[in-house]
Amino acid sequence: MKSLIKVILILGFVSGSSFILVQVTGLITIDRIDFWFNEIRSFPPYYIGGVVLALMLIDLFISIPTLATIMLAGFFMGTLLGAAFTIIGLTIAGCCGYMLGRRYGEVILKFLLKNDTEREEFKASFEEHGFFTILLSRALPVLPEVSTCIAGMTKMPFSKFLTAWLISITPYSLIAAYAGASSSPRSPEPAIIAWALLTSSLWVGWYIFKRAKKSC
């Protein structure tokens, strides 16, 4: 388990650093995303949908405010379209992360974990905990993207990965898009409540998962 945590922390640090860099430079901020959506709101919905797809894919490499983006998608396109484009984008991004991990994972692992025993422990730990790690990954920033890559690294069966990923992103996207569609600049309460509920629910899920593992 220690080797799994070590890899997650290292990859998470790299991804988290990109988020800080992006926010400091102002490259992709919530205000900028809001501005982009406002600029094309009079166009057919698939224009905004295309931006959402692009942002979800970019998030795999450069961490962006995903939850806020989904809420904005819901605000500008409505619940169903906002959630649909988000789910498609996150699915594409997740599959790309899985494929990249599967293709380059062994090289990365040998760089991060020098010892063969550590690498085997890492793979065994993710094989045991991987499904629930992906399922609850949205409780922590950058963990979703990291978990997709690790799933590929450890050769998790694609069907198992995709099942966990879809279970994770579908309700998350629907709730966030609905909150965005129900909100407005003058009435942001639904978005705030949804953010609090999503975050707290995922954290409770992590707590229950850890307690269950300790009692085994």
Side-chain angles (χ1 to χ4, degrees):
M1 191 67 175
K2 289 182 180 179
S3 56
L4 176 60
I5 294 172
K6 178 181 177 180
V7 172
I8 289 176
L9 288 176
I10 293 172
L11 295 179
F13 174 78
V14 173
S15 183
S17 299
S18 72
F19 176 78
I20 295 172
L21 181 62
V22 166
Q23 294 304 303
V24 169
T25 58
L27 185 63
I28 304 177
T29 62
I30 296 173
D31 289 338
R32 189 172 288 273
I33 295 169
D34 185 35
F35 172 78
W36 292 338
F37 285 179
N38 267 303
E39 286 292 295
I40 58 176
R41 69 183 305 173
S42 60
F43 288 59
Y46 59 79
Y47 278 81
I48 295 178
V51 176
V52 173
L53 291 178
L55 288 171
M56 295 300 104
L57 188 57
I58 288 171
D59 188 45
L60 178 61
F61 305 98
I62 303 173
S63 189
I64 65 170
T66 308
L67 180 58
T69 301
I70 301 171
M71 288 181 175
L72 285 171
F75 176 74
F76 283 99
M77 291 192 292
T79 301
L80 292 181
L81 273 180
F85 277 107
T86 297
I87 291 168
I88 293 169
L90 287 175
T91 301
I92 294 171
C95 291
C96 287
Y98 177 89
M99 295 303 177
L100 287 171
R102 197 172 181 92
R103 176 68 179 83
Y104 302 104
E106 201 60 39
V107 176
I108 296 171
L109 274 182
K110 286 181 179 178
F111 177 75
L112 297 179
L113 302 174
K114 307 297 184 183
N115 190 290
D116 289 342
T117 304
E118 277 189 312
R119 289 197 292 272
E120 290 305 315
E121 181 197 348
F122 164 79
K123 292 176 182 178
S125 294
F126 195 78
E127 185 176 347
E128 182 180 355
H129 306 293
F131 189 89
F132 286 99
T133 299
I134 295 169
L135 206 62
L136 301 172
S137 61
R138 302 242 155 231
L140 296 170
V142 310
L143 184 56
E145 298 75 32
V146 169
S147 65
T148 64
C149 295
I150 293 177
M153 284 180 184
T154 56
K155 305 293 191 297
M156 172 186 275
F158 182 73
S159 58
K160 183 178 180 180
F161 158 74
L162 190 58
T163 299
W165 188 245
L166 287 174
I167 293 173
S168 172
I169 66 174
T170 300
Y172 184 87
S173 300
L174 284 167
I175 293 170
Y178 174 76
S182 304
S183 303
S184 69
R186 293 185 178 182
S187 180
E189 292 84 3
I192 296 170
I193 293 170
W195 173 84
L197 286 174
L198 282 170
T199 304
S200 58
S201 297
L202 288 167
W203 271 103
V204 169
W206 261 115
Y207 176 76
I208 294 172
F209 172 65
K210 290 176 70 177
R211 287 293 299 269
K213 285 297 177 184
K214 283 182 179 179
S215 63
C216 290

